[in-house]
Amino acid sequence: MKNTKLVAILVLQAVLVMGILSHVNADYFPTCCDNCRSFSGVDVCDDAHPTCPTGCSACRVVQTTPTQTFRCADMKNTVDGTCGGPCTKY
């Protein structure tokens, strides 16, 4: 009986977590990303930008000297753990 309750609680907790992750910030996400992190079905791009990207809802300052750089903390859902590939450098 105890095992059944434990399994039921774990399943409900997993459903709750997946429900929360299905509504992550996805207002802005770049088409390419050099520094991508994937975890629990979510992709986060850690690329630094000279200005806050247009459309980013959660912009963070990551460096203040010598010049200020920003990182967008928006996330997107993923199925295969890919962020769309690295950016092309010219």
Side-chain angles (χ1 to χ4, degrees), residues 25-37 43-49 53-56 71-76 82-87:
N25 288 340
D27 296 332
Y28 167 83
F29 201 84
T31 56
C32 63
C33 183
D34 290 325
N35 300 307
C36 181
R37 291 183 292 129
D43 285 341
V44 179
C45 183
D46 283 336
D47 289 350
H49 305 278
T54 304
C56 179
R71 181 177 299 143
C72 185
D74 288 0
M75 302 176 247
K76 73 170 185 170
T82 61
C83 283
C87 298

Side-chain angles (χ1 to χ4, degrees), residues 10-87:
L10 290 174
V11 168
L12 290 174
Q13 185 178 9
V15 169
L16 177 65
V17 168
M18 292 309 293
I20 291 169
L21 291 177
S22 69
H23 297 293
V24 296
N25 288 340
D27 296 332
Y28 167 83
F29 201 84
T31 56
C32 63
C33 183
D34 290 325
N35 300 307
C36 181
R37 291 183 292 129
S38 295
F39 59 94
S40 298
V42 175
D43 285 341
V44 179
C45 183
D46 283 336
D47 289 350
H49 305 278
T51 60
C52 189
T54 304
C56 179
S57 64
C59 200
R60 308 283 190 262
V61 176
V62 292
Q63 178 180 339
T64 56
T65 57
T67 58
Q68 197 169 29
T69 57
F70 299 89
R71 181 177 299 143
C72 185
D74 288 0
M75 302 176 247
K76 73 170 185 170
N77 293 341
T78 185
V79 175
D80 57 1
T82 61
C83 283
C87 298

